[in-house]
């Protein structure tokens, strides 16, 4: 190795920018955003699978960079590695939060069905069979069970479900129709 080769510390331009940002340098922050945002957005997008969520996570990450980049330690790794770790952690937290909310919504929908059985349409078995219905709903794939719960237990219209799930209206209608057919078959098989 020749003695005139640059050292890792001197080639970590991202780390240098982070150190300047820790000192309040706005120009360094803008440069960091310009240099790294596309790469970080792509990383986040691969995890969260939604462009709007990915952009939101990226914004949160850069807000954290501005307020907490003093935690960056060049002795422990490069600036880019620190940013990637930060964004990856935030993206995973986002996915977990979204999944947790969906699980709560699903459970709330099932609980409310027992309380509001009179509002459930004819295609869903009445209150006396709600346990069998819950068991049968769990057999369906989430892309079918979620819109069914939203329609019949939460009282949402197909258009509202389409908007909430960011899925075309025709697809929602097909998923509910196909899911209801599978649900009927499952309930009949369990009799």
């Amino acid at each position: 190795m020749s003695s005139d080769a640059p050292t890792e510390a001197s080639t970590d331009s991202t780390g240098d920018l982070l150190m300047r940002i820790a000192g309040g340098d706005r120009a360094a922050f803008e440069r960091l955003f310009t240099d790294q945002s596309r790469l970080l957005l792509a990383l986040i997008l691969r995890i969260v699978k939604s462009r709007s969520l990915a952009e939101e996570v990226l914004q949160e990450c850069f807000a954290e960079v501005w307020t907490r980049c003093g935690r960056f330690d060049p002795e422990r790794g490069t600036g880019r590695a620190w940013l990637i770790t930060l964004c990856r952690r935030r993206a995973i937290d986002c996915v977990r939060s979204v999944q947790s909310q969906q699980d709560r919504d699903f459970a709330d929908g099932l609980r409310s069905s027992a309380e509001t059985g009179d509002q459930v349409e004819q295609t869903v078995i009445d209150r006396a069979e709600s346990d069998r219905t819950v068991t049968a709903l769990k057999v369906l794939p989430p892309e079918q069970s979620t819109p069914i719960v939203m329609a019949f237990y939460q009282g949402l219209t197909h258009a509202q479900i389409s908007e909430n799930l960011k899925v075309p209206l025709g697809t929602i209608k097909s998923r509910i129709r196909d899911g209801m057919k599978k649900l009927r078959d499952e309930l009949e098989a369990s009799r």
Side-chain angles (χ1 to χ4, degrees):
M1 184 165 129
S2 76
S3 61
D4 59 8
T7 64
E8 187 175 322
S10 68
T11 60
D12 184 13
S13 60
T14 303
D16 293 340
L17 289 172
L18 288 169
M19 300 300 279
R20 288 173 44 202
I21 294 167
D25 187 338
R26 290 181 185 273
F29 183 78
E30 289 175 19
R31 172 86 188 271
L32 181 73
F33 183 83
T34 301
D35 291 352
Q36 301 297 322
S37 62
R38 292 184 74 196
L39 167 82
L40 297 174
L41 182 63
L43 167 80
I44 295 166
L45 187 56
R46 282 197 323 254
I47 296 169
V48 301
K49 309 284 192 239
S50 162
R51 177 102 182 160
S52 61
L53 271 179
E55 290 170 351
E56 187 176 321
V57 170
L58 181 66
Q59 182 178 355
E60 291 172 5
C61 289
F62 273 96
E64 187 170 342
V65 165
W66 181 254
T67 59
R68 297 186 179 158
C69 68
R71 293 181 178 178
F72 167 65
D73 180 359
E75 298 295 319
R76 296 182 66 195
T78 66
R80 180 176 275 183
W82 185 82
L83 282 174
I84 288 172
T85 301
L86 170 77
C87 291
R88 184 176 180 282
R89 181 177 43 85
R90 282 278 187 162
I92 290 170
D93 288 348
C94 176
V95 169
R96 287 178 179 155
S97 175
V98 167
Q99 182 61 51
S100 179
Q101 183 61 48
Q102 288 174 344
D103 291 347
R104 282 191 300 274
D105 290 348
F106 186 77
D108 288 345
L110 293 177
R111 272 194 298 278
S112 70
S113 73
E115 298 166 4
T116 59
D118 296 336
Q119 297 174 359
V120 178
E121 293 193 17
Q122 292 178 351
T123 53
V124 179
I125 307 303
D126 65 12
R127 280 182 134 182
E129 296 180 329
S130 67
D131 286 341
R132 286 183 344 118
T133 304
V134 169
T135 302
L137 272 170
K138 289 181 181 177
V139 172
L140 297 178
E143 62 267 12
Q144 290 176 342
S145 62
T146 300
I148 289 172
V149 167
M150 293 172 81
F152 297 109
Y153 297 126
Q154 296 175 353
L156 298 179
T157 65
H158 291 173
Q160 290 169 324
I161 296 167
S162 171
E163 184 177 300
N164 287 345
L165 297 179
K166 308 280 189 269
V167 175
L169 180 60
T171 303
I172 290 297
K173 289 179 178 182
S174 296
R175 287 178 179 177
I176 290 174
R177 183 190 64 239
D178 295 343
M180 290 303 295
K181 182 181 180 324
K182 287 180 186 176
L183 187 61
R184 277 188 219 102
D185 294 343
E186 187 67 30
L187 288 169
E188 287 178 353
S190 68
R191 285 185 183 208

